[in-house]
Amino acid sequence: MARTATPKTTPSPHAALLAAVGLDGPKLVGCSDGHAWSASGPERALRTPVDGSALATVREASVADVDAAVAGLAQAFQAWRLVPAPKRGDLVRLWGERLRAMKDPLGRLVSLEMGKSLQEGLGEVQEMIDICDFAVGLSRTVGGKTLPSERPEHRMMEQWHPLGVVGVISAFNFPVAVYAWNAAVALVCGNTVLWKPSEKAPLSAIAVQRVLEGLAREQGHPGIVALACGGAEVGKAIADDARIALVSATGSTRMGKSVGVAVAARMGRSILELGGNNAIVVGPSADPGLALRAVLFGAVGTAGQRCTSTRRLFLHRSIAAAFRAKLVAAYKQVRVGDPLDPANQMGPLIDEAAVATFTKAVAQAKKEGGKILFGGGTLPKLGSCYVEPTLVQVDNAAKFPLAAEETFAPILYLFEYGAFEDAVAAHNAVRQGLSSALFTSDMREAERFLSAAGSDCGIANINLGTSGAEIGGAFGGEKETGGGRESGSDSWKQYMRRQTNTVNYGTTLPLAQGIKFDV
């Protein structure tokens, strides 16, 4: 009887890089409950947008896998919440050290998987390291206030306790950093964490999960983190699960509305970091060199695929012509190509669907009366996912509704203004409210932009672009950007529940409001 030949598995051309971050073999499992890797969902074949070459195949989680992972996390929480916060911080400290050791290969994988430049890929891993450092410090400072009691011989205070299981849904544009923003803080607060990465970029997530999960086992805390790769059905299962106390979701406004409604319906908590339609205002007294650099990076960095990317530019009429000329000249110098080549500044969009969205937006911009100052086309010689960074001049903002939409691509719309109040009004006249910036040397303009009558965004900067927030500041926006804050400042409070305590150390029982209720 003839033997059946075993099919040969073609090795990935990126096998060495995958192995360097602990991903061995062309077929990977994208689900772990913190103890074992097992998935019963469909397989997804992944290709890099850099050149279309194969990366790996990932077996995704099923809804049943998510259910099992949440059950395990809920059980692990019972012990993890009792571990002293500084000890929890020590685990996060070790995570940061491991990330430092693998920064180069992990940064390269991030760039390869989603198409951002190598500098940005390495920078994303550095953000993870930075938030670990922040969270370690936080683990020794989390606490409440002692408050004055109106009753004699009483002490009143606040305490903060862990919530339970935290679900993190992250997006493709920052495949690992946003998870770390949430997970590092959530873990030192005493929560267990379930991560659903973008189905478009799961490999970096699998690598990071293996590191953190291994550390948790080494430190005697297995099962406190879990991973569930997959599509919308996995995200829906997380949003619907009443055992998950908090869902932190990053993505489109459409996705966020769905998650927010589902979580609210079961009285859960959510942090939603959704669409951005960020703008820079350049005043007549601005330093043009400073503003030019910020606009260029804000609009072109990550190929316009940051939630904080600059999408609208308001130029004062007195400087508009000169600034436009310099901006067009700068765009001509932008090097587009393989993002792993340090000489290039802009890589591809995430996939061909994103290219189609870009092309549609350019066509619509022309239809609405926009003038293409630079770009507007695709770059098929580089690959199927490359486009030109694009500048569109708009003369009549009232007849250009496209500018009110977020197109996740390197398209920048240019407007002119006369009065500062008009610029602020136009700046705020969109449904999103994430990041904003004003370039000026006028102190009055600067203070007005930061006042209650100024920018309506969660982030407002002076002489600094819209992109590149620091981990020490709470990150998030208003309006359809979703609300809630991640990362720094006092955002840790969202991952904990507040409890007010009063201790009576006297021998009498004074009642509230002086009520007499003698027995």
Side-chain angles (χ1 to χ4, degrees), residues 437-462:
L438 167 68
F439 281 81
T440 184
S441 296
D442 186 327
M443 181 188 71
R444 291 188 175 90
E445 278 190 348
E447 291 297 332
R448 284 155 66 192
F449 190 73
L450 300 181
S451 74
S455 167
D456 62 359
C457 294
I459 299 170
N461 297 326
I462 303 297

Side-chain angles (χ1 to χ4, degrees), residues 68-205:
V70 175
L73 289 168
Q75 182 62 38
F77 170 69
Q78 302 303 314
W80 181 242
R81 64 181 175 172
L82 301 179
V83 174
K87 293 294 184 182
R88 300 193 295 250
D90 199 47
L91 174 67
V92 174
R93 177 185 63 81
L94 293 171
W95 186 26
E97 290 181 1
R98 296 284 175 91
L99 290 171
R100 281 183 173 89
M102 63 187 298
K103 178 179 176 179
D104 183 74
L106 182 57
R108 288 179 179 276
L109 178 58
V110 168
S111 296
L112 181 69
E113 188 171 26
M114 73 78 49
K116 64 174 61 176
S117 72
L118 178 58
Q119 287 184 332
E120 292 184 82
L122 296 172
E124 179 165 352
V125 180
Q126 186 61 50
E127 282 200 38
M128 301 178 73
I129 296 167
D130 291 343
I131 193 61
C132 285
D133 289 347
F134 177 90
V136 172
L138 181 65
S139 71
R140 291 186 178 272
T141 59
V142 169
K145 299 176 180 178
T146 296
L147 304 168
S149 174
E150 63 189 33
R151 293 173 285 197
E153 297 186 307
H154 282 62
R155 179 167 63 90
M156 187 162 58
M157 62 184 180
E158 289 180 345
Q159 287 197 102
W160 293 85
H161 297 300
L163 283 175
V165 181
V166 170
V168 180
I169 301 173
S170 61
F172 76 84
N173 58 334
F174 280 85
V176 288
V178 171
Y179 169 69
W181 286 4
N182 286 274
V185 176
L187 286 170
V188 299
C189 287
N191 304 292
T192 54
V193 184
L194 172 61
W195 182 12
K196 180 213 169 299
S198 168
E199 64 271 28
K200 296 181 179 182
L203 299 182
S204 305

Side-chain angles (χ1 to χ4, degrees), residues 361-418:
V362 171
Q364 184 64 26
K366 293 177 182 178
K367 184 177 180 180
E368 293 182 9
K371 179 183 178 182
I372 307 298
L373 300 180
F374 184 84
T378 60
L379 298 169
K381 290 184 178 179
L382 295 177
S384 62
C385 297
Y386 290 84
V387 301
E388 294 178 313
T390 301
L391 294 171
V392 182
Q393 182 178 335
V394 180
D395 295 327
N396 190 337
K399 295 183 178 180
F400 200 83
L402 184 62
E405 306 296 329
E406 179 191 37
T407 301
F408 226 52
I411 303 175
L412 179 65
Y413 302 114
L414 282 66
F415 305 86
E416 291 186 19
Y417 74 93

